[in-house]
Amino acid sequence: MTRTPAGAVVTGAGRGLGKQIAALLVERGYRVLVTDVDAAAAQVTADELGGGATSLAVDVREYAQVEAARDAIIERAGRLDLWVNNAGVLITGPVWEQDEPTRRLMIEVNALGTINGTVAALEGMRDGGGHVVNIVSLAGLTAVPGEAVYAASKHAAIGFSLSTIADLRLAGITNIDISCICPDGIWTPMLYDKLDDPASALSFSGKLLGPDEVVGAVRKVLDRPRLVTTIPRWRGLMVRVGDMLPRFGLKAVPLMVAQGRRVQTKLKSTGGPRTS
């Protein structure tokens, strides 16, 4: 967009990656609405960011709350230009060991939350256009042992996003873009307590990313929307090959899991990675 940025919404922005994305948008001149299921965290983030950032408690599973966020930013900024679906939940372990509420939580936050945010944004962007950025995961592109339901929710988010952009183009709507960011494991609060968790080993088997690397990818798609961005690119290529050749991919899984567990052990002794 060449016009002056107006309103932006970031979900799950009370901490971690969402907070850093919100900071980028404030820097870019957007009037940012910081949303999180934790009202206090959202307020603290908005206060720290300044730049006119405001906050609102939003449970992305509840469409009425998502609509309220959209209406609030339009009322305040005059227009909704950007919506970032960042809220997510990761709970690891074999699916047969997870109870129904756990499975439902991941599906509803990660998949339904992305759907709710995107639909609300599209309704708010219908006249003036805009951009939806969905923070997904490499787990949306391949098999992930120990994270089956999480991977299912992220596959749903990718499938929904690509199908929706196809619907937009078929309807002749060209002024709304959707970009999916698919990072490898990110050293954020989502992984801080996973160093002793063998079920999350695959998240540690590649390049453990710093949040700033993902923010950098968001910065790029703000300037040039892109349907799917994998971070790092080589890892994205690898998981896509594994997905196209599932027998090969499944045979490689034990090696990747073993590598991830070695990294977990190393990180326990160092207190965390050195990310850029």
Side-chain angles (χ1 to χ4, degrees), residues 16-271:
L17 177 61
K19 182 176 182 178
Q20 294 198 31
I21 292 172
L24 166 67
L25 301 185
V26 169
E27 175 188 316
R28 283 282 184 116
Y30 288 92
R31 303 187 75 176
V32 179
L33 178 61
V34 174
T35 76
D36 200 284
V37 70
D38 183 338
Q43 182 64 63
V44 168
T45 291
D47 291 343
E48 290 179 359
L49 294 180
T54 55
S55 70
L56 186 67
V58 173
D59 184 336
V60 297
R61 298 172 294 178
E62 301 294 334
Y63 187 62
Q65 294 185 31
V66 177
E67 283 187 303
R70 178 201 64 208
D71 295 344
I73 194 62
I74 291 175
E75 180 179 356
R76 181 169 179 272
R79 188 180 71 239
L80 173 62
D81 281 348
L82 179 65
W83 187 291
V84 182
N85 286 306
N86 169 74
V89 175
L90 169 62
I91 302 169
T92 58
V95 64
W96 57 85
E97 294 180 0
Q98 294 177 337
D99 59 19
E100 192 272 343
T102 296
R103 300 192 301 270
R104 181 178 294 274
L105 176 66
M106 282 188 280
I107 293 294
E108 291 189 349
V109 173
N110 300 342
L112 182 60
T114 297
I115 293 170
N116 285 343
T118 302
V119 172
L122 295 181
E123 292 176 353
M125 296 172 178
R126 183 172 300 174
D127 295 329
H131 192 181
V132 177
V133 177
N134 292 330
I135 307 300
V136 191
S137 170
L138 286 181
L141 301 174
T142 191
V144 188
E147 300 177 8
V149 178
Y150 178 78
S153 70
K154 294 300 188 176
H155 274 72
I158 283 282
F160 166 77
S161 300
L162 297 181
S163 300
T164 299
I165 195 68
D167 282 338
L168 289 169
R169 298 301 181 256
L170 284 172
I173 300 171
T174 60
N175 63 347
I176 298 177
D177 291 297
I178 298 176
S179 298
C180 295
I181 307 293
C182 298
D184 208 340
I186 313 169
W187 188 244
T188 65
M190 186 177 283
L191 287 184
Y192 287 172
D193 62 348
K194 303 297 185 184
L195 295 181
D196 289 311
D197 178 16
S200 65
L202 208 63
S203 293
F204 294 86
S205 64
K207 181 182 187 298
L208 198 58
L209 302 168
D212 58 304
E213 294 175 88
V214 185
V215 172
V218 173
R219 181 181 289 107
K220 289 181 180 179
V221 299
L222 292 181
D223 294 329
R224 186 176 182 181
R226 181 183 175 92
L227 286 176
V228 179
T229 298
T230 59
I231 316 170
R233 287 186 179 182
W234 67 266
R235 183 79 155 171
L237 177 61
M238 185 175 71
V239 301
R240 282 170 166 161
V241 170
D243 206 36
M244 288 189 293
L245 303 170
R247 287 187 180 181
F248 168 80
L250 288 175
K251 287 182 179 179
V253 162
L255 298 175
M256 296 170 65
V257 168
Q259 169 61 17
R261 290 181 178 174
R262 286 192 291 269
V263 173
Q264 287 174 305
T265 299
K266 180 179 179 180
L267 294 178
K268 281 179 64 178
S269 65
T270 61

